[in-house]
Amino acid sequence: MFTIYLQGVLLGAAMILPLGPQNAFVLQQGSRKQFHLMSALLCALSDTLLIIAGVFGGSALLSQSEILMQLITWAGVVFLLWYGYGAFRTAMSPDDIILQVEKKNLTRWKVIITLFAVTWLNPHVYLDTFVVLGSVGSQLEDTFRPWFTAGALTASFVWFFALAALAAWFSPVLNKPRSQRIINVFVGTVMWFIAFQLAKQGIEYL
């Protein structure tokens, strides 16, 4: 059982650790200390739903929904380009404007909506959870699937909360104009990089 659990932890970590919209947003919120723990929790809960769905049969459903994947892909492209543009615009602003932007508290609902978008409008999330984790987990015997799923979920919860906590811990340094400029450039780059990848994939599937 422990071997299967550890397999889930390692494979889950491999899917979550690479740079992506979720990680960039949690890092940004952590540096601002604005709903950063809630952001981590929502990301982990989203992963919970996706991983469970993938391991227990969602991968087969996804493979039959090309139109749905196209809609998700292009909606994700538009959102990520828009969010990245905002990050780059903030990064190019004078220091006093950057501080005003970073000190401006986002509403709880705006954070929730943004996290919903960066998670559920990113087809890579479905590929990671449904195709990769789902295909591996679905091949296991029924008695082993819960252990594999628990391992993948452990990786998700530990990673997102660690990222949010570390970013908040270093917020005195990260909240300086120079640091925020770097963070916004990083966030914008990640968002646009993922957007262009998604657009390329969307064109190939047309």
Side-chain angles (χ1 to χ4, degrees):
M1 295 293 187
F2 180 75
T3 302
I4 298 297
Y5 173 81
L6 185 59
Q7 181 183 1
V9 171
L10 295 177
L11 187 56
M15 298 296 99
I16 296 167
L17 292 182
L19 298 178
Q22 281 183 311
N23 291 338
F25 186 77
V26 172
L27 173 64
Q28 191 176 50
Q29 293 305 112
S31 69
R32 300 171 177 175
K33 286 189 175 180
Q34 294 180 5
F35 300 113
H36 56 292
L37 295 179
M38 184 190 75
S39 300
L41 177 61
L42 290 177
C43 286
L45 290 177
S46 294
D47 277 3
T48 298
L49 295 176
L50 290 166
I51 291 171
I52 290 175
V55 172
F56 291 94
S59 56
L61 177 64
L62 182 66
S63 63
Q64 301 174 0
S65 306
E66 293 184 4
I67 295 178
L68 177 60
M69 282 302 297
Q70 281 288 333
L71 291 174
I72 293 174
T73 296
W74 289 107
V77 168
V78 172
F79 174 80
L80 293 173
L81 287 175
W82 170 80
Y83 196 92
Y85 167 75
F88 281 125
R89 185 177 61 181
T90 300
M92 298 300 110
S93 302
D95 288 355
D96 58 336
I97 300 299
I98 290 180
L99 289 177
Q100 290 177 13
V101 171
E102 302 311 321
K103 288 180 180 179
K104 182 180 179 181
N105 290 323
L106 297 177
T107 65
R108 186 183 302 272
W109 281 108
K110 187 171 183 179
V111 172
I112 292 173
I113 292 171
T114 304
L115 271 175
F116 177 86
V118 299
T119 299
W120 297 87
L121 294 181
N122 180 14
H124 286 173
V125 171
Y126 299 96
L127 294 177
D128 291 344
T129 56
F130 279 33
V131 177
V132 179
L133 291 172
S135 61
V136 174
S138 62
Q139 295 175 10
L140 299 172
E141 296 180 7
D142 291 344
T143 55
F144 292 140
R145 286 185 189 180
W147 289 94
F148 177 82
T149 303
L153 295 181
T154 298
S156 177
F157 274 85
V158 170
W159 168 249
F160 283 121
F161 276 98
L163 180 61
L166 285 174
W169 180 270
F170 289 104
S171 62
V173 176
L174 298 178
N175 265 324
K176 294 181 179 180
R178 178 181 175 84
S179 299
Q180 283 298 322
R181 199 181 302 277
I182 294 173
I183 290 174
N184 277 284
V185 169
F186 166 75
V187 170
T189 301
V190 170
M191 297 299 182
W192 278 17
F193 177 75
I194 300 298
F196 285 123
Q197 278 193 325
L198 294 181
K200 182 179 178 180
Q201 292 175 4
I203 292 173
E204 290 177 352
Y205 288 121
L206 288 177

